[in-house]
Structures are given as C-alpha cells and as structure tokens.
Amino acid sequence: MARQGRSIFALTVPTFLWLTVAVVLPITVMFYFSFLSASPFGTKPASLTLDNYATFFTKDFYSFLAWRSIKLGLLVAALCALIGFPAALVLSHRLSGYWREALLLLVILPFWSNALIRIFAWTMVLREQGLVDQAVHAVLPWAPSVGILYSYPAIVIGLVHSFLPYMILTCYISLQAIDPSLVDAARGLGARDHTILRRIILPLSFPGLAVGAILTFVPVVGAFMEPRILGGRQGITMGTVIEDQFTEVFNWPLGAALSFILLGIVLAILALCYPLLRARFRLG
Amino acid sequence: MKLVASCALSALAAVAVLVGTQTAALHAADGEVRVLNWKGWGTDEPWAIEAFEKETGLKVVHDYITSFPETFTKLRVNPGYYDVVVLNAAFTQQAAAEGLIQPIDTSTIANFGVLFPDLRDSPELNIDGSNFGVVWMWGGTSVSYNTDVFPEPPTSLEVLWDPKYANRVCWRDDAEDSVRFAALATGQDPDKPADMDKIREKLLALKPQIKALWKSGDEWLKLVSAKECDLSTVWTNNTEAAAVQDKLPISFIVAKEGAIAFRDAMSIAKDAPNVKGAEAFINYMVSVPFYQGWVKVGGAPVSANKEAIEQLPESSLTRTVLAAPEALPRLNFKGPLTDEQRQSYLDLWQEVKASFAQ
C-alpha cells in the first residue's frame, strides 16, 4: 500500500507542480491585482478596493458585450456540435482502416498551423473577390458580390473552424466506445436508424458531446483575436475590451476584474448545466 | 495539504531561480547597447544594426513595447537594464520627472548640430538647461485616400463622415487617435477637448462609414491592397510606403481642420549600463546614412536631421504634402495625456465600438 502511495505521488507531482507554476500562481496574482486601486509597478500607491468590479455594473456596454460574448459562445458550440457530431459518427461507425486514419489526420491537420495564420487565410477566402466570391461568380456570373468578411458571420465561421476539431475528436472517442453489438441488438429487435440514434447512440455519446461543447464554449467566450481580425466594426468582444485594458492603458486591475467577472459568468453557466451533466456522466 | 505546500515551495524556488538569472544578465552588458522601442520602428532594421555593429564593435539588443505606458512599466521594473529608450516627446518630461532617464551630454552626439533647431531645442526635451531627449523622427497620422476614387484630393476631415463613402473607411483602432480626430473635426483642441459629448456623437456617427478597424500597419496594408477602403486614418509614412513600395493608388492629405503629428526622441535610461554605447547609437540613428537607408527600405517617417531631409527626392509625399510650408501650421503635435484622460478615452472608444456592434 505504501509503495503504491509513493508511486502515485511520484507520478502526479510533476503535473501538480506544473499546474501550480503555470496556472494557479498567475491566476492568484491576477485575482489579487483585480482588487488593487492602481496598477502594479505604477507610481501611485495601491490600496485594496472593489471599484474595478463595480465598474462592470456602472457602464452599460460591459454587460452588453458580456452577453454578446456568451451568445457567440453558445452559437459556435451549437454549430460545432451540429457539424462535428455527424462527422464523428461517420468516422467511427461507417469508415475503417485507411480512410478513417486519413480523415482523422485531416481533422487534426489544422492544429499543426498557427491560429493567426488560419484566421488570415480566412480573410482571403471570405473577402470580396476572395475565393468564395470568385467561385460563386464562376457559376453565377450575374450574382451580386459575396463578401462576408468584416461581419458577424465571418467571426462565427472563423471560430467554428478553429474549434471544430475538438468537437469531432471528443465525440469520436465517445462513439468509438459504444459496443457495436448494442446497435446490432437494437436492429435485431426492429429499431429503425433514427430510433437507434435517439435511444442508443446519442445518450451513450453524450459525454463526448458535452466535453466538446465546453471545450468550445469556454475559449470562444474569451476570444479576441478572431473577432478583431474577421469582424470589422462587429469585432469588439469582452476579450478585446480586456486586452485593451492590459495593452493600451496598463489598467491591469480593471482588466483582471473584467476577466474574473467573465470567468464567474462562465462558471455559473457550467454550474447551471451541472445537474444535467451529472445525470449523464453518472457521477455522484 | 503537505503536497500542496511542497508544490508551492518548489514553484517559489523555480521563480527565484528565474529572477536570479535575470539579475545575472544585468551585469554582463559591456559590449552591448540595449534599446527599448516599438518593433519595426527603425532601430531594429537589420542593415542598420549590421552597419552600427561593424563600425563600433558593440552588439545591439532590442526589447519591444506595444504602448508608451509599457515603456514606463519596463523602465520602472528593470532599473539599470536599458541604455537607449525611444520616447514620444510628449512623455519625455514625465520620464525625466520620475527619474527614469538621465541628462544627455549633447557634445558627444556629433550630428546634434544638424538637427532642426525648433525640434531639437523644444522645451519638451530640454528641462532646466539639460537635454533629456535627442529628437529623432517626426511624422503624422492623417487621412489617406485612394487616388483612383478621388482624382482631386479631399480637403476636409468631413469626407470621413460623407455618406458617399459609407462602408469604405478603414479606421485606426486607437482610442487616443480617434478622440483627437473627432476633436479636430468638431473644432476642439485635440490635447484638451472641452466637449466630450460632442466627440462621442461624432464618433458614434462613424458607424455606417466603417469597413474595418485595424491595429497594425500590416493589417492596414492588407486592407488597402485588397481595395477594402477608399479612405483611412493612418500614419503618413505607411501611406507613403504603400504608394512607393507597393505601388498602390494612394496618397494622403493634411486636412483643413488639421492632422495629428508626433515627435519621437531618443533618451538614455537612468543608470544605463553603457552610456558611451548609447551615445554612439543615438548619433548613428540621427545620421544621414541611417535615414537614407530607412527611406530606401520604406516606411520611414520624417527625420529630424535637416541634411537628411534636404536629400529626399523632390517628389516625396513627405516633402510635398506633410512637411510642406503651408501644411506645417496645421499639424497638431501630440501633447502629454494624463492617465485619467487615457482611461476615459479608452472607455469612450470601447463604448463607441460596442455601439458599432449593436
């Protein structure tokens, strides 16, 4: 028993150490900063205050932007699920061998390029006289020009593309784990495809779908690069507002407070979903 | 609990080691000149560094900023680390007052005598008889226009609000410049606008006009190359580079309401480890060969060196539009802003951008 305890200790220490240095320490420091009345490293003496948190409630546009970021997160997560789940289903249940490996590789491939480069690539595809526009005009020369760059749909397209692989991979792993004999048994008992999907495949793969949705929703709520580059005058999000506090005016306390408010909102949403998740994951 | 405590201790030890190596690096600076500047703003031109290093045997090491407030943070947090600091002249007094930069012995700067006297001797750079910054470059932020769309250059800032160019304006995503432009357009002092409500309304009225908001010069160039905009608010040197290097149909104006201008100077950090190296570097940066080299590769603003300007081609936009005698009085050199102004400008600009998205 003691030996097992020691090996568990030895195996987990590097992870805990890394998490402490890379995650817990910076977040603790930022949490502390969010209560300061003046920036750290500044000339003014700083005292503890709640003003930075109060600022969020005194200006209407903060709550508007927070709500906008959350809607964006929900929309992107939903679209990723709609596109990603069928793709994962085909990968896990319809394909095998060489084709499956090749397609999985294609799903993972975007991860190998820099996120910024992918976003700039989208600007070339989506702009007027870009690839989409030219393709449409090759078929329908009389169609009006299609340039959706610098609009809200452009932001959504860029983000869905960025996060789709997470959804496909998490769904794929859940779907892989479903025993094929369950499907055969259902079919043997006369269940049709949509019944099998609804009664067996969806419930059993729900954990993958839920994890994929969380992995998409949480980062999208804080996204700032994609909206700024693709969104034009639609490009402001809670993420860009926080970024500006850090880089433009060096108001770290306000930037930190806004980040923690956003984090609080995200955690509250996840907490609301917890009963549903707990039932599905068979926790507790 | 014990585990957590030991993790925290090891983490602290790791941080201590990191800090230790940083301090060690502090004391090995003899053959180096450490420069703090914007990325891609002249001092880090590879050919220039090569020429300087060859001439002096000193190695140039750069650290970069993304805003002037960041310069202050870096100088405060790393005293005795930097040698040369590029500062907007509007910030020089504040830096000197805080004891972040030191007086410069101008007799060691051989090119000091050929700098434009009114730039060089400005009270912003000379405090109590001591020089705290050698004026280096100046330039403008103004309205650039597509010369195919405008056979005749526009004359007023109002063109940015003209419904004819709805959805054709690429605006620089910067709180301070936005407020300054709106102040000029509403006839107010861009350093101390009296009526902020008027400025808010003027900026809100931009909504139908804006095609894109850009941050870096590279983003702007991509927009203009793709013909996304007929008009932009942008630095004049970027416009000139786009016209000369990229052969785009573009030029800029100094509108009748005025344009925004800046002046950058080079200062020596307090307790700089290599003052002699810093003086040599500043002297090279204000020299004619450096400016000629920068003009050749493109993107150069206007040199403070009189001889360097006289050697620019007659046709250059810098000479014919920006530094033209009739335009000079309409340039509003940026004065210092307080931290409170800066924050209130950012709040206002974010509110305006939020309304663009509504």
Side-chain angles (χ1 to χ4, degrees), chain A residues 18-29:
Chain A
W18 172 249
L19 287 177
T20 313
V21 175
V23 181
V24 179
L25 275 182
I27 288 189
T28 315
V29 170

mmCIF file with all atom_site columns, all heavy atoms in Angstrom, chain A residues 18-29:
data_model
loop_
_atom_site.group_PDB
_atom_site.id
_atom_site.type_symbol
_atom_site.label_atom_id
_atom_site.label_alt_id
_atom_site.label_comp_id
_atom_site.label_asym_id
_atom_site.label_entity_id
_atom_site.label_seq_id
_atom_site.pdbx_PDB_ins_code
_atom_site.Cartn_x
_atom_site.Cartn_y
_atom_site.Cartn_z
_atom_site.occupancy
_atom_site.B_iso_or_equiv
_atom_site.pdbx_formal_charge
_atom_site.auth_seq_id
_atom_site.auth_comp_id
_atom_site.auth_asym_id
_atom_site.auth_atom_id
_atom_site.pdbx_PDB_model_num
ATOM 1  N N   . TRP A 1 18 ? 3.575  21.580 -12.241 1.00 0.00 ? 18 TRP A N   1
ATOM 2  C CA  . TRP A 1 18 ? 3.390  22.364 -13.458 1.00 0.00 ? 18 TRP A CA  1
ATOM 3  C C   . TRP A 1 18 ? 2.127  23.219 -13.358 1.00 0.00 ? 18 TRP A C   1
ATOM 4  O O   . TRP A 1 18 ? 2.131  24.405 -13.666 1.00 0.00 ? 18 TRP A O   1
ATOM 5  C CB  . TRP A 1 18 ? 3.334  21.431 -14.676 1.00 0.00 ? 18 TRP A CB  1
ATOM 6  C CG  . TRP A 1 18 ? 2.954  22.153 -15.920 1.00 0.00 ? 18 TRP A CG  1
ATOM 7  C CD1 . TRP A 1 18 ? 1.806  22.047 -16.617 1.00 0.00 ? 18 TRP A CD1 1
ATOM 8  C CD2 . TRP A 1 18 ? 3.734  23.157 -16.605 1.00 0.00 ? 18 TRP A CD2 1
ATOM 9  N NE1 . TRP A 1 18 ? 1.798  22.893 -17.680 1.00 0.00 ? 18 TRP A NE1 1
ATOM 10 C CE2 . TRP A 1 18 ? 2.972  23.590 -17.691 1.00 0.00 ? 18 TRP A CE2 1
ATOM 11 C CE3 . TRP A 1 18 ? 4.994  23.728 -16.381 1.00 0.00 ? 18 TRP A CE3 1
ATOM 12 C CZ2 . TRP A 1 18 ? 3.428  24.550 -18.582 1.00 0.00 ? 18 TRP A CZ2 1
ATOM 13 C CZ3 . TRP A 1 18 ? 5.439  24.702 -17.263 1.00 0.00 ? 18 TRP A CZ3 1
ATOM 14 C CH2 . TRP A 1 18 ? 4.668  25.090 -18.343 1.00 0.00 ? 18 TRP A CH2 1
ATOM 15 N N   . LEU A 1 19 ? 1.032  22.602 -12.901 1.00 0.00 ? 19 LEU A N   1
ATOM 16 C CA  . LEU A 1 19 ? -0.224 23.353 -12.778 1.00 0.00 ? 19 LEU A CA  1
ATOM 17 C C   . LEU A 1 19 ? -0.070 24.496 -11.788 1.00 0.00 ? 19 LEU A C   1
ATOM 18 O O   . LEU A 1 19 ? -0.597 25.583 -12.005 1.00 0.00 ? 19 LEU A O   1
ATOM 19 C CB  . LEU A 1 19 ? -1.351 22.421 -12.340 1.00 0.00 ? 19 LEU A CB  1
ATOM 20 C CG  . LEU A 1 19 ? -1.861 21.458 -13.412 1.00 0.00 ? 19 LEU A CG  1
ATOM 21 C CD1 . LEU A 1 19 ? -2.924 20.538 -12.839 1.00 0.00 ? 19 LEU A CD1 1
ATOM 22 C CD2 . LEU A 1 19 ? -2.431 22.224 -14.606 1.00 0.00 ? 19 LEU A CD2 1
ATOM 23 N N   . THR A 1 20 ? 0.678  24.261 -10.708 1.00 0.00 ? 20 THR A N   1
ATOM 24 C CA  . THR A 1 20 ? 0.861  25.323 -9.720  1.00 0.00 ? 20 THR A CA  1
ATOM 25 C C   . THR A 1 20 ? 1.599  26.504 -10.340 1.00 0.00 ? 20 THR A C   1
ATOM 26 O O   . THR A 1 20 ? 1.172  27.651 -10.220 1.00 0.00 ? 20 THR A O   1
ATOM 27 C CB  . THR A 1 20 ? 1.677  24.800 -8.515  1.00 0.00 ? 20 THR A CB  1
ATOM 28 O OG1 . THR A 1 20 ? 1.115  23.555 -8.125  1.00 0.00 ? 20 THR A OG1 1
ATOM 29 C CG2 . THR A 1 20 ? 1.635  25.775 -7.376  1.00 0.00 ? 20 THR A CG2 1
ATOM 30 N N   . VAL A 1 21 ? 2.706  26.191 -11.029 1.00 0.00 ? 21 VAL A N   1
ATOM 31 C CA  . VAL A 1 21 ? 3.523  27.271 -11.589 1.00 0.00 ? 21 VAL A CA  1
ATOM 32 C C   . VAL A 1 21 ? 2.791  27.949 -12.748 1.00 0.00 ? 21 VAL A C   1
ATOM 33 O O   . VAL A 1 21 ? 2.760  29.169 -12.857 1.00 0.00 ? 21 VAL A O   1
ATOM 34 C CB  . VAL A 1 21 ? 4.885  26.717 -12.066 1.00 0.00 ? 21 VAL A CB  1
ATOM 35 C CG1 . VAL A 1 21 ? 5.682  27.817 -12.752 1.00 0.00 ? 21 VAL A CG1 1
ATOM 36 C CG2 . VAL A 1 21 ? 5.655  26.182 -10.878 1.00 0.00 ? 21 VAL A CG2 1
ATOM 37 N N   . ALA A 1 22 ? 2.178  27.158 -13.635 1.00 0.00 ? 22 ALA A N   1
ATOM 38 C CA  . ALA A 1 22 ? 1.663  27.726 -14.878 1.00 0.00 ? 22 ALA A CA  1
ATOM 39 C C   . ALA A 1 22 ? 0.233  28.224 -14.750 1.00 0.00 ? 22 ALA A C   1
ATOM 40 O O   . ALA A 1 22 ? -0.186 29.075 -15.520 1.00 0.00 ? 22 ALA A O   1
ATOM 41 C CB  . ALA A 1 22 ? 1.748  26.679 -15.986 1.00 0.00 ? 22 ALA A CB  1
ATOM 42 N N   . VAL A 1 23 ? -0.527 27.701 -13.810 1.00 0.00 ? 23 VAL A N   1
ATOM 43 C CA  . VAL A 1 23 ? -1.941 28.081 -13.746 1.00 0.00 ? 23 VAL A CA  1
ATOM 44 C C   . VAL A 1 23 ? -2.286 28.765 -12.423 1.00 0.00 ? 23 VAL A C   1
ATOM 45 O O   . VAL A 1 23 ? -2.727 29.915 -12.402 1.00 0.00 ? 23 VAL A O   1
ATOM 46 C CB  . VAL A 1 23 ? -2.849 26.849 -13.965 1.00 0.00 ? 23 VAL A CB  1
ATOM 47 C CG1 . VAL A 1 23 ? -4.309 27.274 -13.919 1.00 0.00 ? 23 VAL A CG1 1
ATOM 48 C CG2 . VAL A 1 23 ? -2.524 26.172 -15.280 1.00 0.00 ? 23 VAL A CG2 1
ATOM 49 N N   . VAL A 1 24 ? -2.044 28.079 -11.324 1.00 0.00 ? 24 VAL A N   1
ATOM 50 C CA  . VAL A 1 24 ? -2.531 28.595 -10.040 1.00 0.00 ? 24 VAL A CA  1
ATOM 51 C C   . VAL A 1 24 ? -1.834 29.898 -9.654  1.00 0.00 ? 24 VAL A C   1
ATOM 52 O O   . VAL A 1 24 ? -2.486 30.881 -9.304  1.00 0.00 ? 24 VAL A O   1
ATOM 53 C CB  . VAL A 1 24 ? -2.347 27.537 -8.922  1.00 0.00 ? 24 VAL A CB  1
ATOM 54 C CG1 . VAL A 1 24 ? -2.838 28.100 -7.592  1.00 0.00 ? 24 VAL A CG1 1
ATOM 55 C CG2 . VAL A 1 24 ? -3.122 26.284 -9.278  1.00 0.00 ? 24 VAL A CG2 1
ATOM 56 N N   . LEU A 1 25 ? -0.500 29.933 -9.756  1.00 0.00 ? 25 LEU A N   1
ATOM 57 C CA  . LEU A 1 25 ? 0.215  31.157 -9.339  1.00 0.00 ? 25 LEU A CA  1
ATOM 58 C C   . LEU A 1 25 ? -0.218 32.392 -10.139 1.00 0.00 ? 25 LEU A C   1
ATOM 59 O O   . LEU A 1 25 ? -0.619 33.391 -9.542  1.00 0.00 ? 25 LEU A O   1
ATOM 60 C CB  . LEU A 1 25 ? 1.731  30.947 -9.443  1.00 0.00 ? 25 LEU A CB  1
ATOM 61 C CG  . LEU A 1 25 ? 2.408  30.276 -8.239  1.00 0.00 ? 25 LEU A CG  1
ATOM 62 C CD1 . LEU A 1 25 ? 3.905  30.183 -8.448  1.00 0.00 ? 25 LEU A CD1 1
ATOM 63 C CD2 . LEU A 1 25 ? 2.097  31.028 -6.960  1.00 0.00 ? 25 LEU A CD2 1
ATOM 64 N N   . PRO A 1 26 ? -0.155 32.344 -11.497 1.00 0.00 ? 26 PRO A N   1
ATOM 65 C CA  . PRO A 1 26 ? -0.563 33.548 -12.229 1.00 0.00 ? 26 PRO A CA  1
ATOM 66 C C   . PRO A 1 26 ? -1.999 33.953 -11.950 1.00 0.00 ? 26 PRO A C   1
ATOM 67 O O   . PRO A 1 26 ? -2.303 35.143 -11.814 1.00 0.00 ? 26 PRO A O   1
ATOM 68 C CB  . PRO A 1 26 ? -0.409 33.151 -13.695 1.00 0.00 ? 26 PRO A CB  1
ATOM 69 C CG  . PRO A 1 26 ? 0.470  31.966 -13.708 1.00 0.00 ? 26 PRO A CG  1
ATOM 70 C CD  . PRO A 1 26 ? 0.306  31.286 -12.398 1.00 0.00 ? 26 PRO A CD  1
ATOM 71 N N   . ILE A 1 27 ? -2.904 32.976 -11.841 1.00 0.00 ? 27 ILE A N   1
ATOM 72 C CA  . ILE A 1 27 ? -4.306 33.332 -11.611 1.00 0.00 ? 27 ILE A CA  1
ATOM 73 C C   . ILE A 1 27 ? -4.480 33.951 -10.225 1.00 0.00 ? 27 ILE A C   1
ATOM 74 O O   . ILE A 1 27 ? -5.208 34.934 -10.061 1.00 0.00 ? 27 ILE A O   1
ATOM 75 C CB  . ILE A 1 27 ? -5.217 32.093 -11.791 1.00 0.00 ? 27 ILE A CB  1
ATOM 76 C CG1 . ILE A 1 27 ? -5.279 31.770 -13.290 1.00 0.00 ? 27 ILE A CG1 1
ATOM 77 C CG2 . ILE A 1 27 ? -6.617 32.353 -11.256 1.00 0.00 ? 27 ILE A CG2 1
ATOM 78 C CD1 . ILE A 1 27 ? -6.281 30.721 -13.660 1.00 0.00 ? 27 ILE A CD1 1
ATOM 79 N N   . THR A 1 28 ? -3.756 33.433 -9.242  1.00 0.00 ? 28 THR A N   1
ATOM 80 C CA  . THR A 1 28 ? -3.831 34.013 -7.896  1.00 0.00 ? 28 THR A CA  1
ATOM 81 C C   . THR A 1 28 ? -3.331 35.453 -7.916  1.00 0.00 ? 28 THR A C   1
ATOM 82 O O   . THR A 1 28 ? -3.953 36.352 -7.340  1.00 0.00 ? 28 THR A O   1
ATOM 83 C CB  . THR A 1 28 ? -2.972 33.188 -6.913  1.00 0.00 ? 28 THR A CB  1
ATOM 84 O OG1 . THR A 1 28 ? -3.240 31.820 -7.148  1.00 0.00 ? 28 THR A OG1 1
ATOM 85 C CG2 . THR A 1 28 ? -3.285 33.541 -5.480  1.00 0.00 ? 28 THR A CG2 1
ATOM 86 N N   . VAL A 1 29 ? -2.202 35.663 -8.599  1.00 0.00 ? 29 VAL A N   1
ATOM 87 C CA  . VAL A 1 29 ? -1.644 37.018 -8.671  1.00 0.00 ? 29 VAL A CA  1
ATOM 88 C C   . VAL A 1 29 ? -2.640 37.951 -9.358  1.00 0.00 ? 29 VAL A C   1
ATOM 89 O O   . VAL A 1 29 ? -2.912 39.057 -8.889  1.00 0.00 ? 29 VAL A O   1
ATOM 90 C CB  . VAL A 1 29 ? -0.293 36.986 -9.432  1.00 0.00 ? 29 VAL A CB  1
ATOM 91 C CG1 . VAL A 1 29 ? 0.178  38.400 -9.718  1.00 0.00 ? 29 VAL A CG1 1
ATOM 92 C CG2 . VAL A 1 29 ? 0.747  36.255 -8.611  1.00 0.00 ? 29 VAL A CG2 1
#
